[in-house]
Amino acid sequence: MICTFYSHQLGLEKIVETLKSNIPKAKISFSEIDDFKVVEIKTKGGLFSSDAFLKVSYRERLQTDYQIHDTEDCPLNENLKGLYGFVSSLPTNNEKVKELLLRKVQTLNSEFSFIQEKGTTKNLKEIIRQLAKAFDPIIFAQPNTIISKSGNQHFLDTNLNLIIDPSGNCEIEDLNVSIDSKYYDAQLVELSEDQVSRKSKNETILEQHEVKINYNLPCIESEIDTTIRTAKEISERLSVLTITNSVAFNNITGDKAIEILKHFNLWDKVTPKEIDFLEDPTDQKKSQETWKCEGIWTLMWALNIVDNLGFPNEMADLNNIPIENYPIDNDKDPNDFINAHKNIRTRAEILNVNDLYYRLDWACVDARINGRQITEVNSGVVYERHYTLNWLINYMNSDWDDVTCDT
């Protein structure tokens, strides 16, 4: 494997034309393997060189678009979810470029890989350069190849410059993110009334609070396409969060929290990251975990325990919730709390707030990548509530540890 192209554009024919024009004497054959269309290129070697075999595997999204969807029916869409998560996990010395890369991942519609199976294909670097110019892709390059810019797997842009590698290195200052209008226009035709109304009302709220608005930011999913977490799921998650948060604020030890969770049969509801925290609750981890107060506040709101989520210009104060409304207190059994809560806020209520925080989060990200301090809201509060709301609406079917806050 030399590299994999990911592009918003489609065009197997364009790839084949480029191959033919650069290797006119090559023998080209075609086949299909699973959801890939495979192009095999054989070029004869000379007196002192063997034949060269190059393979290009190409596939597209089943439904071209400009954002990743929850569907599991499309293999490439599923791969893009993993790609997004991988990029999110990378360190960076250029937050702006990383954010743009994450945006670009959501717009991708095609994927094709170059595999040099034998020998060396002449003009291959030039072929890759030409296709990079034609497709405006992000290129996932392997180390030690003709286009490599890093000793590990890494991403290159349309000019074969380094976007990001596992060490966070970056050699560009900007990254183009383009969306073909036909995809956006097609989405607009299919928008439901609740989506359009929700977007409009929330933009009015942002205007009133003087928060920067991206009027081109699309609508979130409609009510009919959204499945909200059940009251039991929310209550269980809230119980686990409350116990782990007690460790973050030094009210109990990590060992005590583990004992409580196991005693009340909640250990299987604890996520891998939470287990890591409870087994080794360092000061740094505690500092990060304290932010989950916002998640607790949001889930309390979802269960109708908190009347008003409030605007995120200040942090939630959990002391405003009576102790009897918490799932734990001394020897209190959190399962009583879980079993007592059967009703949650309506799908419309939750989506209205999710859409608002989606737009607020965009404003926070925009400020950050442009080196501006946002003062209208607390960006940390926005992120944590958006994270929790995305979990509530089953965004991308992600478990708690894997939720993303795409903007």
Side-chain angles (χ1 to χ4, degrees):
M1 174 80 75
I2 295 173
C3 63
T4 299
F5 277 55
Y6 293 95
S7 176
H8 181 62
Q9 303 173 35
L10 309 177
L12 180 59
E13 298 81 6
K14 190 186 302 181
I15 297 170
V16 174
E17 289 172 6
T18 303
L19 290 167
K20 287 181 175 178
S21 64
N22 282 274
I23 324 172
K25 295 182 179 180
K27 179 182 178 181
I28 298 180
S29 57
F30 303 88
S31 62
E32 292 191 17
I33 302 176
D34 297 327
D35 57 320
F36 287 94
K37 295 181 179 179
V38 181
V39 184
E40 296 181 285
I41 306 98
K42 176 184 178 181
T43 51
K44 293 188 69 65
L47 183 61
F48 300 105
S49 61
S50 60
D51 295 347
F53 292 88
L54 177 70
K55 184 165 71 176
V56 180
S57 299
Y58 176 92
R59 65 177 174 177
E60 300 173 357
R61 275 212 253 187
L62 297 180
Q63 179 62 52
T64 52
D65 210 327
Y66 62 93
Q67 54 189 335
I68 301 172
H69 288 285
D70 290 346
T71 177
E72 297 179 359
D73 297 331
C74 175
L76 179 51
N77 187 81
E78 286 299 291
N79 186 40
L80 294 178
K81 291 181 186 179
L83 183 64
Y84 189 98
F86 175 65
V87 173
S88 298
S89 71
L90 293 175
T92 182
N93 58 22
N94 191 322
E95 286 288 348
K96 174 184 176 181
V97 169
K98 181 178 176 178
E99 291 289 349
L100 290 170
L101 177 58
L102 287 169
R103 293 186 198 178
K104 197 172 180 75
V105 169
Q106 296 181 69
T107 72
L108 303 172
N109 285 313
S110 68
E111 169 195 85
F112 51 98
S113 299
F114 290 85
I115 306 163
Q116 186 75 68
E117 297 195 318
K118 183 180 178 182
T120 302
T121 300
K122 287 184 62 177
N123 298 334
L124 181 54
K125 187 171 184 178
E126 180 58 28
I127 291 169
I128 290 174
R129 285 187 182 279
Q130 290 178 19
L131 290 173
K133 291 293 185 183
F135 280 87
D136 185 30
I138 58 172
I139 302 172
F140 187 51
Q142 300 300 314
N144 306 315
T145 71
I146 54 175
I147 62 168
S148 295
K149 289 292 184 71
S150 175
N152 297 290
Q153 294 175 323
H154 54 287
F155 292 93
L156 305 176
D157 68 1
T158 188
N159 296 311
L160 305 187
N161 292 321
L162 181 64
I163 302 174
I164 194 171
D165 69 4
S167 298
N169 297 310
C170 175
E171 62 180 25
I172 60 176
E173 293 300 324
D174 201 1
L175 183 66
N176 180 53
V177 182
S178 298
I179 298 174
D180 194 316
S181 62
K182 67 183 179 183
Y183 299 127
Y184 189 70
D185 293 343
Q187 288 290 318
L188 290 178
V189 173
E190 301 169 7
L191 291 178
S192 64
E193 183 178 343
D194 72 278
Q195 289 174 285
V196 176
S197 174
R198 180 175 299 119
K199 180 177 186 291
S200 176
K201 289 178 180 178
N202 284 331
E203 286 173 346
T204 299
I205 292 173
L206 297 184
E207 288 173 355
Q208 293 170 347
H209 287 274
E210 299 182 339
V211 176
K212 184 176 180 180
I213 301 171
N214 179 358
Y215 291 99
N216 292 320
L217 205 62
C219 297
I220 64 170
E221 297 294 321
S222 66
E223 291 179 32
I224 195 171
D225 293 325
T226 302
T227 302
I228 304 297
R229 303 276 179 178
T230 65
K232 184 178 181 181
E233 287 179 290
I234 297 170
S235 300
E236 289 174 340
R237 179 96 297 267
L238 181 53
S239 297
V240 172
L241 279 176
T242 304
I243 294 168
T244 56
N245 208 243
S246 295
V247 177
F249 282 96
N250 297 313
N251 294 321
I252 58 174
T253 65
D255 290 339
K256 181 61 177 178
I258 292 172
E259 178 187 328
I260 294 171
L261 289 161
K262 289 183 176 179
H263 177 73
F264 290 114
N265 298 315
L266 288 173
W267 187 244
D268 63 337
K269 306 302 178 184
V270 185
T271 71
K273 288 184 180 178
E274 287 168 338
I275 291 173
D276 176 73
F277 167 67
L278 294 176
E279 291 180 342
D280 183 27
T282 64
D283 288 342
Q284 182 179 1
K285 290 178 183 178
K286 286 179 180 180
S287 177
Q288 294 171 345
E289 192 67 24
T290 57
W291 278 102
K292 294 299 183 288
C293 282
E294 299 300 332
I296 292 171
W297 181 260
T298 305
L299 293 181
M300 288 283 194
W301 171 84
L303 288 175
N304 289 295
I305 296 171
V306 168
D307 292 331
N308 188 351
L309 193 58
F311 198 70
N313 55 344
E314 58 184 25
M315 298 179 69
D317 186 354
L318 298 185
N319 290 319
N320 290 329
I321 302 173
I323 192 65
E324 58 267 22
N325 289 337
Y326 277 92
I328 60 167
D329 178 33
N330 295 325
D331 294 326
K332 186 177 181 180
D333 185 346
N335 290 291
D336 293 337
F337 174 90
I338 293 167
N339 294 327
H341 290 88
K342 306 294 183 183
N343 299 313
I344 62 173
R345 293 189 182 272
T346 66
R347 184 183 286 112
E349 284 181 284
I350 292 173
L351 284 172
N352 287 345
V353 174
N354 180 267
D355 180 272
L356 175 62
Y357 275 80
Y358 167 52
R359 299 179 195 287
L360 285 166
D361 208 354
W362 177 88
C364 294
V365 171
D366 177 76
R368 185 170 70 251
I369 65 178
N370 287 295
R372 181 173 59 85
Q373 181 70 34
I374 189 165
T375 57
E376 296 82 7
V377 295
N378 183 313
S379 59
V381 172
V382 170
Y383 176 82
E384 294 296 336
R385 293 184 186 179
H386 188 200
Y387 187 103
T388 307
L389 289 160
N390 274 357
W391 179 82
L392 276 169
I393 67 168
N394 275 285
Y395 180 64
M396 293 180 68
N397 292 320
S398 295
D399 294 330
W400 179 263
D401 279 354
D402 304 318
V403 173
T404 58
C405 294
D406 308 327
T407 57

